[in-house]
Each structure stands twice: as C-alpha cells, then as structure tokens.
Amino acid sequence: MSNHAKSTKTSSKNMTVKLKVWRQKDAKTEGKFENYSLDGVSASMSFLEMMDLLNEDLTKKGIAPVEFQSDCREGICGTCSCFINGQAHGPERGAATCQVYMRKFAEGETIVIEPWRAAAFPIIRDLVIDRSPFDRIIAAGGYTGAKTGPHADANSILVPKPDADKAMDAAACIGCGACVAACPNSSASLFTSAKITHLAMLPQGHPLRERRVLRMVEQMDKEGFGHCTNIGECQSACPKEIKIDFIAQMRREYLAAVVNQRPESKSGGSG
Ligand code: SF4
Ligand code: FES
C-alpha cells in the first residue's frame, strides 16, 4: 500500500461530516459553537472546498454563511488560518488550512473549527480575525534605504550560500499567525524574528539593520503580544516550519543594536 493510500482515512465514496463551527457576529458580541451536518463531502475536496459546500448549504437554508478568509488557496498568502480540531491549520504538518484535504477525516467525524484565539488578534466575524498588528510590525521596520543605483549585475554582490539559505528560510513566513495562536503566551516572536532575519541576512538589508530590529521589536511589544519563553509550540504549528532558531537570531540582533544604538534610536522592547 502506498503512503498516500495509508494516510487516506476514507474511500472515494462521498461522506457526511459533523461540523462544530465558531459563529460570532463581531468583536463585541459573544460567540458560540453551532453544529451542522454536511453530506456529499468528497475525500478529494480541500478543507476550504468543504467550507464552500457548507456555505452553499447554509445559504439555501437561509442561514448566514460562515465567514472565513482565503486568497491563494495554495499555502502562500496566510489568510485561511483557523484551528481545526484544536490544531492550528489542522492535522497536516507543514501545511496551511487550504492545503488540508478531507481524506484526513473519517466518515461521520465531528470536526471542530474555530478562529485564532489571541487578545492581539480580535475576532472580526466567525473565523475572520484582525491580523493588522502584523502589518504594523512590518511597517515599523520601514523600507530599505540602500541606494541601489542602476541595474547591478546579478553577480556583482555575492551573498554567501549559508546567508542566502537562511534568508530564504526566513522569507518563507506567510504571516498566518499560527505561531501566535499556538503559543501559550501569544508571542509574536517567531513571526517578527523571521521578518527581521530575512532582511538582516542580505546585503540590501544591512544599512538599516539595527534601526529595523529596534523598531520592529518595540512595535511587537506595543501590539500586546506576550513574551517568548522558549516553549516551541510556534515552530510546531508553523505551516512553513520556521525554526525557533530565528528567535535566538532576533535576540542577538536586538542586543547588538541596543549596545550600538544612536541617541535617536533609543527605545524600549525586549523581544
Ligand atoms: S512564523 Fe510560521 S506560523 Fe508564524 S506567521 Fe510566519 S508562517 Fe505563520
Ligand atoms: S488561502 Fe492562502 S495560504 Fe491558505
């Protein structure tokens, strides 16, 4: 039997699943779980296609569809995030919610679906949360001020392979927020460290490296995320398998910047 067949819990026959979905009108209204039964679910459907089917069914019955976000549906935009059966992004390791397939679930199984739970990510409606604190952390880093001049030859600035690999690994972060949702402290350290590292490792990111880490860590603290205590749930939940080593890198960058900071850069934040 192939690995693929082994991981398939259901046959090609359509199945019925029971869904326990968090419904919440807005940030100020109390939410609750609603139970739905959904027929005609194919094992080859993606999880979001199953949600589309649920919403068609609810609409036909005159019930408001479940609000959720999605864009790329191929694991690169980070918008589709939710908890599935208590796991950030569901049962598939190294995959976003949109990359989960219904063959992971059994006929008649109850699937619990709920939004990220973190004070810094208020619920907008149902499964949709406000991830704008992440945008503000990135904005705090500013843009690169390096003058690049006319088109440089691709090989004129050589980047050592280990640095390029590290930058690429960090740049894989899709800003989904699973790291915050999975962390008992709701820390945004994995996200922030990935964003800081991916620029810090490349020549274009060097000139404002210190200012960037100080500002981004300060903004992270302002947004109300908790502090990292090295629990490691973030890297287990991350669909891009970003390692907590980047948090250590962020702390080194931050410490070096604090030691060298110029008077105008003096600011708080501990990472
Ligand atoms: S570090 Fe991973 S879990 Fe956190 S936002 Fe980036 S991709 Fe999502
Ligand atoms: S919809 Fe883009 S990562 Fe899932």
Side-chain angles (χ1 to χ4, degrees):
M1 187 186 277
S2 70
N3 284 342
H4 171 81
K6 271 184 203 161
S7 69
T8 300
K9 282 191 181 177
T10 56
S11 70
S12 58
K13 213 168 127 249
N14 283 351
M15 57 180 174
T16 300
V17 286
K18 296 186 175 14
L19 302 171
K20 201 168 172 185
V21 187
W22 187 260
R23 305 298 316 256
Q24 185 168 337
K25 199 164 158 249
D26 53 46
K28 294 195 180 99
T29 314
E30 209 175 312
K32 64 177 169 99
F33 283 106
E34 293 284 357
N35 295 304
Y36 307 111
S37 179
L38 187 64
D39 302 324
V41 176
S42 152
S44 59
M45 269 180 187
S46 73
F47 184 82
L48 294 187
E49 284 168 336
M50 181 280 294
M51 293 298 288
D52 292 337
L53 189 67
L54 169 69
N55 279 344
E56 276 174 34
D57 192 52
L58 292 178
T59 306
K60 278 185 202 147
K61 290 173 178 160
I63 302 169
V66 176
E67 298 242 358
F68 64 93
Q69 286 181 304
S70 72
D71 186 1
C72 67
R73 296 203 175 198
E74 55 184 14
I76 54 173
C77 75
T79 60
C80 57
S81 317
C82 63
F83 279 114
I84 305 170
N85 287 345
Q87 282 179 284
H89 292 294
E92 198 82 64
R93 285 298 297 256
T97 299
C98 57
Q99 297 171 299
V100 172
Y101 282 82
M102 291 311 292
R103 55 178 169 264
K104 279 282 173 184
F105 304 95
E107 161 66 32
E109 183 171 342
T110 298
I111 306 171
V112 183
I113 306 163
E114 55 188 317
W116 288 164
R117 308 289 188 181
F121 288 157
I123 293 172
I124 295 171
R125 190 177 176 105
D126 296 336
L127 307 179
V128 181
I129 53 120
D130 178 2
R131 246 186 305 260
S132 61
F134 273 9
D135 298 335
R136 289 191 288 274
I137 291 172
I138 291 176
Y143 51 85
T144 178
K147 285 195 172 57
T148 53
H151 248 327
D153 181 75
N155 293 325
S156 64
I157 304 173
L158 297 178
V159 180
K161 175 95 169 61
D163 291 355
D165 287 348
K166 204 168 180 183
M168 287 301 287
D169 288 350
C173 169
I174 55 174
C176 65
C179 45
V180 175
C183 173
N185 306 327
S186 297
S187 167
S189 292
L190 193 64
F191 163 80
T192 309
S193 66
K195 298 301 173 196
I196 285 169
T197 306
H198 107 244
L199 288 173
M201 299 313 297
L202 297 175
Q204 297 90 333
H206 285 174
L208 300 175
R209 185 174 182 163
E210 291 183 353
R211 192 184 78 178
R212 188 180 309 114
V213 66
L214 290 168
R215 288 185 177 180
M216 289 177 80
V217 169
E218 182 185 4
Q219 189 64 35
M220 175 179 76
D221 289 347
K222 268 192 208 159
E223 295 291 347
F225 295 106
H227 286 272
C228 171
T229 51
N230 294 327
I231 294 169
E233 284 297 316
C234 53
Q235 73 171 5
S236 308
C238 176
K240 296 298 162 187
E241 301 184 315
I242 307 271
K243 301 277 176 285
I244 53 171
D245 303 12
F246 287 119
I247 300 179
Q249 165 94 22
M250 176 175 74
R251 287 175 174 154
R252 285 194 295 273
E253 296 272 339
Y254 183 81
L255 195 59
V258 167
V259 170
N260 297 329
Q261 72 178 308
R262 291 179 291 261
E264 76 271 18
S265 310
K266 277 186 181 153
S267 53
S270 58

